[in-house]
Amino acid sequence: MRTRPLKVALLGCGVVGSEVARIMTTHAEDLAARIGAPVELAGVAVRRPSKVREGIDPALVTTDATALVKRGDIDVVVEVIGGIEPARTLITTAFEHGASVVSANKALLAQDGEALHAAAVEQGRDLYYEAAVAGAIPLIRPLRESLAGDKVNRVLGIVNGTTNFILDKMDSTGAGYQEALDEATALGYAEADPTADVEGFDAAAKAAILAGIAFHTRVRLDDVYREGMTEVTAADFASANEMGCTIKLLAICERAADGGSVTARVHPAMIPLDHPLASVRGAYNAVFVEAEAAGQLMFYGPGAGGSPTASAVLGDLVAVCRNRLGGATGPGDSAYTQLPVSPMGDSVTRYHISLDVADKPGVLAQVATVFAEHGVSIDTVRQSVRKSSGDEVAIEQGGGGRRAGGEASLVVVTHRAADAALTGVVDALRQLDTVRGVASIMRVEGE
């Protein structure tokens, strides 16, 4: 074993960074044996140097992150500060001064991954980021290496633990959105400002990274269609249960049937209870991969938290250090296909549409005509009538609603159709006098 240690600079010492430092210290002998050389924490860049950090030598702490990454003796920089700047500049500076980089920064990689990979290649350094997607779950490396000889056609995943916890609570207990969010916040699963999670921004960044790796093409954050889950209601779950489904916030990355383009999207969706992703509970993550030769694969585990994320960071650190000792670099960016990213309107799936309509003869026929005019085929229709007591009475498909002057609801489930066609249907339905409102639109995935 080489006696000179490989020196590591740590940028950020919050929940994840402090756990990385702890594992490096407590597992130092094991890490050295696995790498073939000892690793040494050479500096820790923080914003508040006066804070007590258990297990970290205060002499290693600095507020000058730039000076730390410019040190010529640093072998690997671990970046866990997040955000776009100063992380982007610090990473490129690290490359320029001879260090490889391990990052957990999903937002930066989704926005500027191409430029960062180019900078790494130019300097002959590694850029690894397993921790950027799904925490401790080994996902980036299997897609980038284990499936390198296969053709991935679809990646379907639950990649945000906060939203999965909320939706799981709504489904299992009947809680409303706000009640479930309050519980997630109290348990530490949701931030004080949960916008990045519940509006789908976090999942969209991860979808951009996954799509780029899976399909060997450039996918930026702006290419990902995004819908949050704040409008999901108890009524949506009731409808899902009637169909034998539940509701998940899904990141969906697909190769077009003709192979000529890809799509990436994040939105709530109904998914059948017999699909493996339907059973993912609480704050866990899972990603379902469909490949041509390997078939269907699922990766499951804790998707966030200090220890799980630190586990992924340390796995990358070991790989990068091994490369460093061998005088080589690992697999980098692979975007040789240069496939275009299609707009959301080209995505094809099934839809569940709930309408509030007038309870009068001919309404169902009018609604069906709108679907037909836009080339969207109807699979099933369920109609119910609201009585004066507020209860609903289900009636047969096509029953027409004979209680004149009342209100009724129609639930229409379509066959597969393009999203643009469905948008045309909804716009036209809103113009009908007999349609009081479009209560809910939910995509149906995973069938």
Side-chain angles (χ1 to χ4, degrees):
M1 178 184 296
R2 190 178 88 163
T3 56
R4 186 182 74 80
L6 292 159
K7 294 191 176 184
V8 177
L10 179 61
L11 307 183
C13 199
V15 174
V16 176
S18 60
E19 189 66 8
V20 169
R22 184 192 68 79
I23 295 174
M24 285 185 64
T25 302
T26 59
H27 296 178
E29 291 185 6
D30 285 340
L31 290 173
R34 294 166 191 171
I35 292 169
V39 287
E40 174 187 298
L41 191 59
V44 181
V46 300
R47 285 184 297 176
R48 295 185 296 274
S50 60
K51 180 180 178 181
V52 177
R53 295 172 172 85
E54 187 177 348
I56 296 178
D57 183 353
L60 297 177
V61 176
T62 178
T63 58
D64 194 343
T66 301
L68 179 59
V69 300
K70 284 183 174 181
R71 281 175 46 177
D73 62 336
I74 298 297
D75 295 287
V76 184
V77 169
V78 174
E79 182 271 308
V80 288
I81 56 177
I84 306 302
E85 287 291 357
R88 174 171 49 198
T89 299
L90 291 170
I91 289 173
T92 56
T93 301
F95 290 144
E96 292 166 359
H97 288 79
S100 290
V101 173
V102 172
S103 176
N105 195 331
K106 55 186 171 288
L108 177 58
L109 289 158
Q111 177 172 306
D112 290 320
E114 179 181 354
L116 293 176
H117 275 292
V121 170
E122 182 179 355
Q123 301 298 331
R125 301 304 173 200
D126 276 322
L127 174 62
Y128 276 48
Y129 44 91
E130 184 68 64
V133 181
I137 304 172
L139 184 59
I140 300 297
R141 194 171 290 115
L143 283 173
R144 193 160 64 169
E145 299 179 29
S146 302
L147 295 174
D150 207 340
K151 181 181 180 183
V152 175
N153 291 316
R154 195 170 195 234
V155 178
L156 179 74
I158 298 165
V159 294
N160 183 276
T162 300
T163 54
N164 199 60
F165 179 89
I166 293 170
L167 292 172
D168 183 37
K169 280 294 177 183
M170 293 176 69
D171 189 19
S172 61
T173 69
Y177 165 74
Q178 189 60 50
E179 182 182 354
L181 172 60
D182 290 344
E183 183 174 353
T185 304
L187 292 172
Y189 292 129
E191 301 286 344
D193 179 2
T195 302
D197 295 322
V198 300
E199 293 296 349
F201 291 101
D202 175 84
K206 295 169 182 176
I209 295 169
L210 289 174
I213 295 171
F215 307 133
H216 305 281
T217 197
R218 305 286 187 202
V219 180
R220 291 171 51 88
L221 181 57
D222 292 345
D223 296 323
V224 181
Y225 174 83
R226 177 194 55 80
E227 282 182 23
M229 43 75 69
T230 58
E231 302 300 319
V232 176
T233 66
D236 292 324
F237 274 104
S239 294
N241 291 334
E242 288 177 1
M243 292 178 58
C245 294
T246 188
I247 299 173
K248 300 291 186 182
L249 184 75
L250 297 177
I252 304 169
C253 311
E254 293 179 301
R255 190 189 300 267
D258 63 4
S261 64
V262 300
T263 57
R265 48 196 167 101
V266 168
H267 52 71
M270 295 182 179
I271 189 166
L273 292 174
D274 60 0
H275 192 285
L277 290 177
S279 62
V280 178
R281 310 300 296 271
Y284 276 72
N285 284 192
V287 177
F288 196 75
V289 177
E290 299 175 12
E292 206 163 82
Q296 297 177 335
L297 309 169
M298 186 157 122
F299 302 84
Y300 168 84
S307 293
T309 306
S311 172
V313 169
L314 268 294
D316 278 351
L317 179 63
V318 169
V320 170
C321 286
R322 286 171 175 170
N323 293 341
R324 191 85 169 185
L325 289 178
T329 55
D333 191 23
S334 173
Y336 68 91
T337 61
Q338 298 184 3
L339 296 173
V341 181
S342 296
M344 183 60 184
D346 290 350
S347 297
V348 177
T349 189
R350 298 178 68 207
Y351 302 88
H352 175 284
I353 304 100
S354 179
L355 306 172
D356 293 328
V357 298
D359 179 27
K360 56 192 288 188
V363 173
L364 183 57
Q366 290 181 358
V367 169
T369 297
V370 169
F371 277 85
E373 288 174 347
H374 289 82
V376 179
S377 174
I378 293 176
D379 182 16
T380 63
V381 176
R382 182 179 182 275
Q383 185 171 1
S384 59
V385 177
R386 295 185 185 87
K387 299 193 298 183
S388 58
S389 64
D391 295 332
E392 290 195 355
V393 178
I395 60 179
E396 296 296 324
Q397 176 175 332
R402 300 298 179 183
R403 298 165 179 78
E407 291 186 357
S409 63
L410 281 178
V411 173
V412 180
V413 181
T414 75
H415 291 291
R416 288 173 61 82
D419 198 84
L422 195 280
T423 298
V425 167
V426 172
D427 289 343
L429 288 173
R430 287 184 169 129
Q431 302 305 311
L432 294 179
D433 292 338
T434 52
V435 174
R436 308 286 173 80
V438 179
S440 173
I441 304 168
M442 191 78 66
R443 296 170 183 86
V444 183
E445 302 286 348
E447 296 180 306

